[in-house]
Amino acid sequence: MTEAELASHEWWEQYKETVNSDPEMQVRGHDRFDENFYVELGDERFLVAMDGGQVSEVIPNPGLNQEWSFGVEGDREAWEEFVREVPPAFNHEIVASNYRTQVKGESGHLELTGNNRQIFQNLRPFQRALDLMRHTHNNGGNL
Amino acid sequence: MNELEPGTVEEITGKYVHVDVNGTTQRIYYEEAGPEDGIPLLCQHTAGCNNQEWRHLLTDEEITDEYRVIAYDLPFHGKSVPPTGREWWEEDYTLTADRFAATIVAIADALELEDPIYMGSSMGGNVTLELADWHPDRFRALIGLECGAYSPGFYIDWLDDPHVNTTEVNAYACWGLMAKQSPEQTRRETMYLYEQGATGVFKGDLYYYSVDHDYREKLGDIDATECPLYVVNGEYDYLTTPEDGTEVADGVGDGCVAVEMADIGHFPMSENPVLFNAYLTEILADIADERDGKLPEVLTPDDVGVELNRTEARAVPKETEEAE
């Protein structure tokens, strides 16, 4: 398991390395994944800038000079559950979490935001990028 | 799952049966394994998928020694091509409760199955409520995997949209329906099967699943004392939770049992076949009245002697065992 705290600078550096060496992001056209997305943990927001299936940079507190297509929001506790090696039910994957939030109206889960067309056009590589947060956090593990 | 020895031939056979469903002839593909005079166990796949989800059950000799396991493809799915007698390409494929239940009964009739057990997952689990309500005399028992009275929110336009890679999206919209502790190999295989669905079919099935199926006010119409109903939901199923299963059982009353399966999700038979087949053995023993005591509210891997994240298949053909 990585010693770095979730979403610390060191953690994001390890995440960047994990995504950029991930073979799955290179196959079936995922190397064309160019949509920037943000990850919001409580009050902290990070923009993950994607370029050809690679993370080009992670920008804390993005503002008017940046652009993104979609994002994921949740409190830090929900993200801590999401990145556990064996995450609990309903915080174990983004579509699962989003369903419990948006359809069932529950709190404590992650929620998708942004342009739904672009989310579905990029669903798999976006989802993979999120699952790789778990991979980063546990230095491997069952995605 | 274990790789079998090269040259191993599985005992599964595949055939086509022609079935009259509400006046339309459908050419239905099915696979089966087990003794001809065994108790028929009729298996329905999930929305947008096909009978390959049951391949690990069809090779489980602990079950096929006794049961005649039959897994079919619904029309428009897998090898059951659309009907030749209709201009089906001029309309959206849309599955309704009436058509779904009628198709299942017509397949059981065409195969002349005597007192079959019906089992299905997801939309195949939900339809146990219609079958229990409308056709309780046709089945020995009904096993509704991932069954709920109402499962809204999955009739999604993006799942059949020209701007979206639906092959991939239809599969990976389902990725989180499985438990992370299920082996990655079998979870990936489940998604691979999903990627084989025809355009529009997954969404059309979800019309039944998320719109037309609504038994919230009708559970009392079901008399499960005529035909036992098992509602068996996985812990990680976020669409139809074990709690939803309990609500079904409470609403139906006598004859209906809810069981939670721990550490597994919405595609139990294909995402973790070793664990599911062991869970199923407990359900089948209850149907056959061969259990000591009632089924527990929650079945766990420990209860059935399965170690999580094992990758070996439970069912190894006898020839292979002897060769070793």
Side-chain angles (χ1 to χ4, degrees):
Chain A
M1 180 179 284
T2 177
E3 296 296 315
E5 185 190 2
L6 174 64
S8 64
H9 175 75
E10 183 189 359
W11 191 96
W12 281 117
E13 285 300 306
Q14 291 178 16
Y15 175 73
K16 185 176 170 181
E17 197 176 311
T18 302
V19 174
N20 293 354
S21 60
D22 180 47
E24 193 171 334
M25 292 298 264
Q26 304 304 311
V27 301
R28 299 205 300 189
H30 295 163
D31 59 351
R32 298 182 188 177
F33 178 35
D34 280 331
E35 302 292 343
N36 296 347
F37 64 92
Y38 73 81
V39 169
E40 190 172 281
L41 305 87
D43 298 333
E44 298 177 282
R45 181 179 282 201
F46 300 89
L47 179 68
V48 180
M50 298 299 300
D51 179 15
Q54 305 262 307
V55 177
S56 58
E57 57 181 330
V58 178
I59 305 164
N61 307 313
L64 287 175
N65 286 333
Q66 279 84 38
E67 62 175 323
W68 54 84
S69 302
F70 37 79
V72 191
E73 298 181 1
D75 56 35
R76 180 168 269 275
E77 290 74 19
W79 282 107
E80 294 279 4
E81 288 190 351
F82 179 82
V83 297
R84 271 163 52 182
E85 186 167 13
V86 180
F90 311 158
N91 263 348
H92 62 291
E93 191 266 347
I94 183 54
V95 181
S97 207
N98 185 68
Y99 180 88
R100 298 309 301 184
T101 304
Q102 290 192 351
V103 178
K104 293 296 181 179
E106 296 176 358
S107 59
H109 303 297
L110 308 179
E111 185 173 13
L112 287 166
T113 66
N115 185 313
N116 284 324
R117 180 189 299 276
Q118 287 173 313
I119 288 173
F120 279 92
Q121 285 174 332
N122 295 280
L123 180 66
R124 181 54 195 153
F126 176 39
Q127 181 182 56
R128 177 74 184 171
L130 295 172
D131 277 348
L132 287 170
M133 293 175 69
R134 182 177 308 108
H135 199 271
T136 302
H137 203 68
N138 300 287
N139 192 26
N142 207 356
L143 292 174
Chain B
M1 308 303 292
N2 260 357
E3 292 291 330
L4 298 179
E5 290 292 315
T8 301
V9 177
E10 298 180 3
E11 296 296 323
I12 302 168
T13 57
K15 291 182 179 176
Y16 292 89
V17 59
H18 292 249
V19 178
D20 184 307
V21 182
N22 296 339
T24 298
T25 300
Q26 305 280 0
R27 179 175 182 253
I28 299 292
Y29 178 70
Y30 68 100
E31 293 180 347
E32 67 172 276
E36 200 175 331
D37 61 351
I39 297 167
L41 178 58
L42 193 59
C43 299
Q44 167 68 54
H45 54 76
T46 60
C49 205
N50 62 64
N51 73 353
Q52 293 184 91
E53 286 179 324
W54 297 102
R55 79 174 184 92
H56 301 289
L57 183 64
L58 285 158
T59 54
D60 189 325
E61 291 185 346
E62 286 187 38
I63 289 169
T64 58
D65 272 356
E66 188 175 352
Y67 292 88
R68 179 186 172 195
V69 180
I70 303 166
Y72 56 87
D73 291 336
L74 274 188
F76 292 85
H77 301 70
K79 290 184 177 179
S80 295
V81 291
T84 53
R86 253 187 31 219
E87 292 172 338
W88 51 268
W89 53 90
E90 294 182 350
E91 59 191 35
D92 279 330
Y93 167 84
T94 305
L95 187 66
T96 62
D98 285 342
R99 183 142 70 93
F100 192 12
T103 304
I104 294 165
V105 171
I107 291 170
D109 288 346
L111 293 174
E112 299 179 350
L113 302 182
E114 191 178 335
D115 287 336
I117 298 170
Y118 166 89
M119 173 167 62
S121 182
S122 186
M123 72 168 187
N126 281 1
V127 81
T128 54
L129 303 185
E130 282 88 350
L131 294 175
D133 191 2
W134 303 341
H135 304 284
D137 53 339
R138 187 63 187 87
F139 299 95
R140 180 187 304 248
L142 299 163
I143 304 172
L145 305 170
E146 316 316 322
C147 169
Y150 184 50
S151 41
F154 235 62
Y155 187 56
I156 300 167
D157 287 342
W158 301 114
L159 302 181
D160 181 18
D161 186 287
H163 296 95
V164 168
N165 176 358
T166 53
T167 301
E168 187 169 76
V169 164
N170 288 348
Y172 280 93
C174 297
W175 179 240
L177 281 163
M178 297 181 286
K180 296 293 183 197
Q181 50 270 61
S182 293
E184 183 169 7
Q185 191 65 235
T186 42
R187 283 186 290 137
R188 294 288 190 161
E189 181 176 297
T190 302
M191 295 299 89
Y192 179 81
L193 299 180
Y194 254 87
E195 291 183 81
Q196 298 173 27
T199 304
V201 170
F202 184 40
K203 188 189 171 198
D205 282 345
L206 293 171
Y207 176 78
Y208 162 73
Y209 181 75
S210 270
V211 180
D212 204 30
H213 172 83
D214 185 354
Y215 257 73
R216 286 173 295 179
E217 305 298 325
K218 295 186 286 188
L219 291 171
D221 296 349
I222 296 170
D223 180 0
T225 60
E226 291 184 63
C227 177
L229 172 60
Y230 294 80
V231 180
V232 186
N233 291 14
E235 179 186 3
Y236 276 73
D237 181 1
Y238 65 81
L239 290 176
T240 41
T241 66
E243 190 180 24
D244 295 329
T246 302
E247 285 177 13
V248 169
D250 289 346
V252 172
D254 289 347
C256 185
V257 176
V259 179
E260 174 179 345
M261 297 182 287
D263 294 302
I264 204 164
H266 190 83
F267 303 98
M269 63 288 188
S270 61
E271 74 172 78
N272 194 341
V274 174
L275 183 58
F276 172 69
N277 290 2
Y279 285 155
L280 176 62
T281 301
E282 301 295 323
I283 307 295
L284 292 174
D286 196 70
I287 293 171
D289 203 19
E290 291 171 350
R291 271 185 64 86
D292 293 330
K294 286 183 176 180
L295 283 164
E297 290 180 5
V298 183
L299 278 168
T300 69
D302 279 350
D303 291 336
V304 293
V306 172
E307 195 177 326
L308 281 179
N309 282 327
R310 275 185 56 196
T311 54
E312 306 86 35
R314 184 176 74 159
V316 177
K318 285 170 180 153
E319 293 79 3
T320 309
E321 286 181 330
E322 285 163 10
E324 289 171 356

